[in-house]
């Protein structure tokens, strides 16, 4: 909750899942809050009233309010940054609305962000991953439950459509990742030669010095969603489809892809 210290025993209501971030204008008489429920609220500490600014489609992670408080900037779990103009006369009564019995009663909210507002698009952070049996591709899921397939040996990424579900069935999070993995994870035997990490919000790959040049696989073991090879060029698609079944050293291919565009500096 957001508490008004000047009014002992009273707090601003309509906060159903906690306050994750807060901000204040230059006058310090109005405080803005946001949380996991996506509600961006305006709390007038002088009038003891709470106003609804906007409802985001994902959790609100940060709020920035300029000193004049004519607009505000919000950052959400989908990594987008949006600016909203502040609208006066949008306050609802604070008295009595902060009791626990009334926290579920939320007045009609403004629609989520539209093209009328300034939006700085971002890339949602990655939250989970699974290494396929071919030890070459990594299935990742981001904060918006979007799936993608990364090829470690060449850095190519392919968006993966969500798995088909029976009518009336809705899955998300780890269940979504498991269902998608079933459809693309071909059973092959390849030794581990790298590890992954998502601590930076993106996929980091670390080669195992002792094993990276001992792992071999065939190009035919690569999972190709929808029958479309990884990569965008037509020539690469033909090369992948016509690749021989001779084993490929995965470590050597990865290093070749990393340094094939390296330009040698001519001696001075």
């Amino acid at each position: 909750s957001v508490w008004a210290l000047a009014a002992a025993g009273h707090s601003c209501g309509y906060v159903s899942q906690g306050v994750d971030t807060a901000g204040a204008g230059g006058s310090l008489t109005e405080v803005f809050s946001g949380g996991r429920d996506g509600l961006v609220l305006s709390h007038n500490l002088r009038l003891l009233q709470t106003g609804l600014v906007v409802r985001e489609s994902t959790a609100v992670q940060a709020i920035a309010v300029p000193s004049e408080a004519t607009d505000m900037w919000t950052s959400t779990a989908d990594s987008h940054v949006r600016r909203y103009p502040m609208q006066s006369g949008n306050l609802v009564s604070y008295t009595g609305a902060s009791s626990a019995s009334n926290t579920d009663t939320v007045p009609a909210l403004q629609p989520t962000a539209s093209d009328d507002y300034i939006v700085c698009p971002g890339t949602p952070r990655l939250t989970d991953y699974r290494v396929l049996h071919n030890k070459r591709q990594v299935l990742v899921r981001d904060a918006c439950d979007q799936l993608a397939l990364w090829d470690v040996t060449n850095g190519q990424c392919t968006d993966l459509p969500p798995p088909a579900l029976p009518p009336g069935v809705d899955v998300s999070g780890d269940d979504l990742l498991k269902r998608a993995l079933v459809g693309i994870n071909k059973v092959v035997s390849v030794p581990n030669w790298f590890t992954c990490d998502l601590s930076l919000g993106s996929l980091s790959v670390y080669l195992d010095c002792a094993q990276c040049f001992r792992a071999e696989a065939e190009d035919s073991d690569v999972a190709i969603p929808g029958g479309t090879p990884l990569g965008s060029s037509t020539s690469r698609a033909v090369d992948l489809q016509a690749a021989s079944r001779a084993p490929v050293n995965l470590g050597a291919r990865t290093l070749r892809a990393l340094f094939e565009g390296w330009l040698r500096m001519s001696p001075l």
Side-chain angles (χ1 to χ4, degrees), residues 139-140 142 146-150 156-162 225-226 230:
L139 178 64
V140 297
D142 63 26
Q146 302 296 317
L147 301 175
L149 196 62
W150 282 91
Q156 297 291 329
C157 179
T158 302
D159 292 332
L160 196 67
L230 301 178

Side-chain angles (χ1 to χ4, degrees), residues 20-173:
D20 290 341
T21 181
S27 63
L28 298 180
T29 60
E30 194 171 23
V31 176
F32 305 93
S33 68
R36 292 183 295 276
D37 54 7
L39 296 179
V40 179
L41 306 177
S42 171
H43 310 283
N44 192 310
L45 304 182
R46 180 178 299 172
L47 301 177
L48 293 181
Q49 292 179 331
T50 296
L52 304 173
V53 180
V54 74
R55 186 172 195 169
E56 295 280 8
S57 58
T58 57
V60 180
Q61 297 180 330
I63 293 177
V65 184
S67 58
E68 60 274 12
T70 57
D71 51 28
M72 71 160 53
W73 294 85
T74 65
S75 174
T76 55
D78 59 8
S79 295
H80 295 347
V81 176
R82 300 179 177 91
R83 191 194 74 170
Y84 297 103
M86 299 302 299
Q87 300 179 2
S88 59
N90 191 32
L91 296 179
V92 296
S93 176
Y94 169 86
T95 305
S98 60
S99 62
S101 60
N102 294 330
T103 53
D104 294 333
T105 305
V106 180
L109 301 175
Q110 299 184 36
T112 55
S114 64
D115 294 338
D116 297 335
Y117 302 95
I118 295 178
V119 180
C120 301
T123 302
R125 73 186 188 281
L126 300 183
T127 58
D128 202 0
Y129 75 92
R130 295 289 188 278
V131 179
L132 271 61
H133 290 317
N134 58 29
K135 300 301 188 293
R136 172 174 173 175
Q137 293 173 295
V138 181
L139 178 64
V140 297
R141 176 177 62 87
D142 63 26
C144 296
D145 279 340
Q146 302 296 317
L147 301 175
L149 196 62
W150 282 91
D151 189 329
V152 174
T153 62
N154 55 27
Q156 297 291 329
C157 179
T158 302
D159 292 332
L160 196 67
L165 300 174
V169 177
D170 185 21
V171 297
S172 61

Side-chain angles (χ1 to χ4, degrees), residues 214-256:
R214 298 181 181 179
E216 293 185 342
E218 300 174 0
D219 281 333
S220 60
D221 293 332
V222 178
I224 303 176
T228 303
L230 301 178
S232 57
S233 66
T234 304
S235 60
R236 176 168 179 79
V238 174
D239 290 343
L240 279 175
Q241 291 175 346
S244 67
R245 299 188 63 86
V248 176
N249 188 292
L250 298 179
R253 170 171 287 192
T254 301
L255 293 180
R256 187 179 299 111

Side-chain angles (χ1 to χ4, degrees), residues 189-205:
S189 179
V190 179
N192 295 323
W193 59 281
F194 68 90
T195 57
C196 296
D197 183 71
L198 300 180
S199 59
L200 299 178
S202 57
L203 182 65
S204 300
V205 177

